[in-house]
Amino acid sequence: MCVMQAAADRLAAKLNTFVQLSYGELDCLTRLQSRPTSVKIGHALVQEGQTGHKAFILQAGWACSFKSMRDGNRQIIGFPIPGDCIGLRSVLLRTSDHSFSALTEATVSGVDASRMIGIFNEFPRLGAAILWAASREEAMVVEHLVNIGRRSALERTANFFLELGERLRLVGLASETTYACPLNQYVLADALGLSAIHVNRVLRQLRELGLMTLKGGQVVIHDVTALEHLGGFEKQDPVTRT
Amino acid sequence: MCVMQAAADRLAAKLNTFVQLSYGELDCLTRLQSRPTSVKIGHALVQEGQTGHKAFILQAGWACSFKSMRDGNRQIIGFPIPGDCIGLRSVLLRTSDHSFSALTEATVSGVDASRMIGIFNEFPRLGAAILWAASREEAMVVEHLVNIGRRSALERTANFFLELGERLRLVGLASETTYACPLNQYVLADALGLSAIHVNRVLRQLRELGLMTLKGGQVVIHDVTALEHLGGFEKQDPVTRT
DNA sequence: CGACGCTTTGACACAACTCAACAACCGTGG
DNA sequence: CCACGGTTGTTGAGTTGTGTCAAAGCGTCG
């Protein structure tokens, strides 16, 4: 087992949960990525409408993917956390349909787009693993869609923080009831499809109900069961390997 | 050019727009699919939470993918149209996170899940093409998310019918200004994140503004420019082949 | 210290939901 | 042929959730 290697490279660690990767495949993944570089806060990684991009693997820090609209509003699609791919789709579709920007100082490794396609010839299993990762990402977007489309602001927010917590826990960045979360109320509003002011009201309500608190970039969940019930949250199935 | 073959199989036709497929690859696609079978209206193709499914290619008719919630509500994720994959993700993730059901009489071809994985070894380029198709699908979900999250009911509905029209036009099922659309107001409500009654009011408004009409399963767009402006609609980029 | 970013609060407006009823349409069976 | 029930569409009245505007509180950092 290549534990060290897996720990050093979050992408490998992630794909490895899906298919058991060989040394050759792990090596290919390593060569695919450039040396990690750091990104300043607020800096855009991928611009909407751009062509011929790179993709990135987020190694540390927080980012968000979003689409901005003509009226100046924006909708945040998701928050990549360490280990997640950024802009994978833009490599395949050749043109990005949304932007990415760093929410905190972050470090990313670039992935060479042209070599990406070549992988499918050289290491087909790796291709399947990447497809699997893309599918997981899409499943998250679907969850997000359901959340916004069919839940009230309160339920929606509860669900959001539970889901985020679960994802962070999978990569060791959250405990059972607490995690660091640098998202401010404006960012949350853009993610939840609410106004920033209403996010504030909702957070207060969650606090007053004794369910959870977001203060100083720290989420603390006081009553997991009640919060899960409110948010209509169901635990994810564990991953089965192929 | 295998025009006949491409026309006979909608999946091949679709993937072929991305990578130029060889005879071997086209043949593989054909073998991958079972003989088309017909599905009764309202019948479920994939059940949420099921494991070990097949995927399907929709050859004719309408379907929808949706997630249902504990309170009986549901959110429709998308409407596969002929040529689209159904349940591709459930094959990869091994467990489906949402359901599919037929909205009209439909015909589908089954795809064998186990062989699906094998494709990546035998025909890597085909794997890349499938990944590309999955990416397109995800881009549609993202559009849907933005639509629901950041647009008013009126804008949202306008955008929805324009987007649907464009997709149908790509497969020859819509003209510039009109297309058949068997979706009733309840279904539209579940897709747009609105109540059925409000959908009715919005449709009336669109009608009274002289923008578009939905009557008797037929969408007629009266003023494309104005509708596009209202819905914040931007035409898709044409596909570039690899 | 002031400036700035973020949070909090209140008052009010408006969009969208709910409930309740009715109208049009369509296939079915008498 | 008409009467019927079921489904879908239509409309109005009243309620509620969420957005908007305006202003003040708080921390942090220069």
Side-chain angles (χ1 to χ4, degrees):
Chain A
M1 286 294 301
C2 331
V3 179
M4 267 176 43
Q5 207 163 346
D9 173 4
R10 290 188 174 275
L11 177 61
K14 186 171 180 175
L15 298 184
N16 206 39
T17 62
F18 175 58
V19 286
Q20 174 83 53
L21 298 173
S22 70
Y23 287 99
E25 287 161 340
L26 283 169
D27 185 51
C28 167
L29 273 181
T30 311
R31 279 182 294 112
L32 190 68
Q33 297 173 55
S34 67
R35 187 188 331 286
T37 57
S38 85
V39 184
K40 278 168 297 193
I41 180 168
H43 190 271
L45 289 165
V46 179
Q47 284 286 0
E48 206 163 325
Q50 249 183 355
T51 51
H53 335 263
K54 308 186 65 159
F56 300 92
I57 313 298
L58 185 59
Q59 302 288 356
W62 287 69
C64 69
S65 64
F66 62 95
K67 249 185 112 112
S68 35
M69 323 193 46
R70 274 192 317 225
D71 61 8
N73 268 343
R74 63 172 189 170
Q75 173 66 48
I76 292 182
I77 314 300
F79 297 101
I81 58 173
D84 287 350
C85 262
I86 286 181
L88 174 57
R89 205 161 65 253
S90 70
V91 168
L92 290 153
L93 296 182
R94 312 299 290 276
T95 164
S96 165
D97 59 337
H98 56 283
S99 318
F100 285 85
S101 96
L103 293 171
T104 64
E105 302 286 311
T107 71
V108 300
S109 321
V111 174
D112 189 358
S114 51
R115 268 195 282 170
M116 190 75 147
I117 307 288
I119 286 186
F120 288 92
N121 292 304
E122 222 182 327
F123 297 99
R125 272 162 44 92
L126 215 45
I130 288 171
L131 182 47
W132 168 82
S135 294
R136 292 221 95 187
E137 198 195 314
E138 189 186 341
M140 280 176 18
V141 179
V142 166
E143 254 311 317
H144 197 168
L145 176 66
V146 173
N147 206 22
I148 289 188
R150 281 292 174 221
R151 277 195 257 261
S152 73
L154 195 66
E155 301 167 336
R156 200 184 298 181
T157 309
N159 189 288
F160 174 82
F161 282 109
L162 287 166
E163 181 129 353
L164 189 54
E166 182 161 283
R167 284 175 62 209
L168 289 168
R169 211 171 308 125
L170 281 180
V171 292
L173 291 175
S175 79
E176 224 20 73
T177 59
T178 180
Y179 57 90
C181 170
L183 311 176
N184 69 35
Q185 298 181 354
Y186 293 92
V187 172
L188 288 171
D190 286 342
L192 296 170
L194 299 168
S195 69
I197 292 176
H198 202 62
V199 166
N200 183 285
R201 286 192 277 247
V202 167
L203 288 176
R204 167 161 47 134
Q205 222 174 325
L206 288 172
R207 196 188 320 134
E208 286 173 356
L209 287 168
L211 299 182
M212 60 157 287
T213 315
L214 169 58
K215 191 163 188 70
Q218 195 73 16
V219 169
V220 183
I221 297 176
H222 300 115
D223 188 337
V224 182
T225 329
L227 198 63
E228 285 179 349
H229 188 258
L230 172 65
F233 187 77
E234 287 155 36
K235 288 217 163 43
Q236 305 250 20
D237 297 329
V239 177
T240 31
R241 263 197 188 179
T242 304
Chain B
M1 285 294 301
C2 329
V3 179
M4 267 176 44
Q5 207 162 345
D9 172 4
R10 290 188 174 276
L11 177 61
K14 186 172 178 172
L15 297 185
N16 206 38
T17 62
F18 176 57
V19 286
Q20 174 84 50
L21 298 174
S22 70
Y23 287 99
E25 287 161 340
L26 283 170
D27 184 53
C28 167
L29 273 181
T30 310
R31 279 182 293 112
L32 190 68
Q33 298 173 55
S34 67
R35 188 190 330 285
T37 58
S38 86
V39 184
K40 278 167 296 193
I41 180 167
H43 189 272
L45 289 165
V46 180
Q47 285 285 3
E48 206 162 324
Q50 249 183 354
T51 51
H53 336 262
K54 307 184 66 159
F56 300 92
I57 313 297
L58 184 60
Q59 302 288 355
W62 286 69
C64 70
S65 64
F66 62 95
K67 251 188 109 116
S68 35
M69 323 193 45
R70 274 190 318 224
D71 60 8
N73 268 343
R74 63 172 188 169
Q75 173 66 46
I76 292 183
I77 314 301
F79 298 100
I81 59 173
D84 287 352
C85 262
I86 285 180
L88 174 58
R89 204 162 64 254
S90 69
V91 168
L92 291 153
L93 296 182
R94 310 300 289 276
T95 163
S96 166
D97 60 336
H98 57 283
S99 318
F100 285 85
S101 97
L103 293 171
T104 64
E105 302 287 309
T107 71
V108 300
S109 322
V111 174
D112 188 359
S114 51
R115 268 195 283 169
M116 190 75 147
I117 307 288
I119 287 187
F120 289 94
N121 291 305
E122 221 181 327
F123 297 100
R125 272 160 45 90
L126 215 45
I130 288 170
L131 181 47
W132 169 81
S135 294
R136 291 221 95 187
E137 200 194 314
E138 189 186 341
M140 279 176 18
V141 180
V142 166
E143 252 313 314
H144 197 168
L145 176 66
V146 173
N147 207 21
I148 288 188
R150 281 291 175 222
R151 276 195 258 261
S152 73
L154 196 66
E155 302 166 335
R156 200 184 297 180
T157 309
N159 190 288
F160 174 81
F161 282 109
L162 286 166
E163 182 129 353
L164 190 54
E166 182 161 283
R167 285 175 61 208
L168 290 168
R169 210 170 310 125
L170 281 180
V171 291
L173 291 175
S175 79
E176 223 22 72
T177 59
T178 180
Y179 56 91
C181 171
L183 311 175
N184 68 36
Q185 297 182 352
Y186 293 92
V187 171
L188 287 171
D190 286 342
L192 295 170
L194 299 169
S195 70
I197 292 176
H198 202 62
V199 167
N200 182 289
R201 287 193 270 252
V202 167
L203 287 177
R204 167 162 47 134
Q205 222 175 327
L206 289 171
R207 196 187 321 132
E208 286 172 354
L209 288 168
L211 299 181
M212 61 158 286
T213 315
L214 169 58
K215 191 164 188 69
Q218 194 74 15
V219 170
V220 183
I221 297 177
H222 300 114
D223 188 337
V224 182
T225 328
L227 197 63
E228 285 179 350
H229 188 257
L230 172 64
F233 186 76
E234 286 154 37
K235 290 217 162 45
Q236 305 252 18
D237 296 328
V239 177
T240 30
R241 264 196 185 178
T242 305

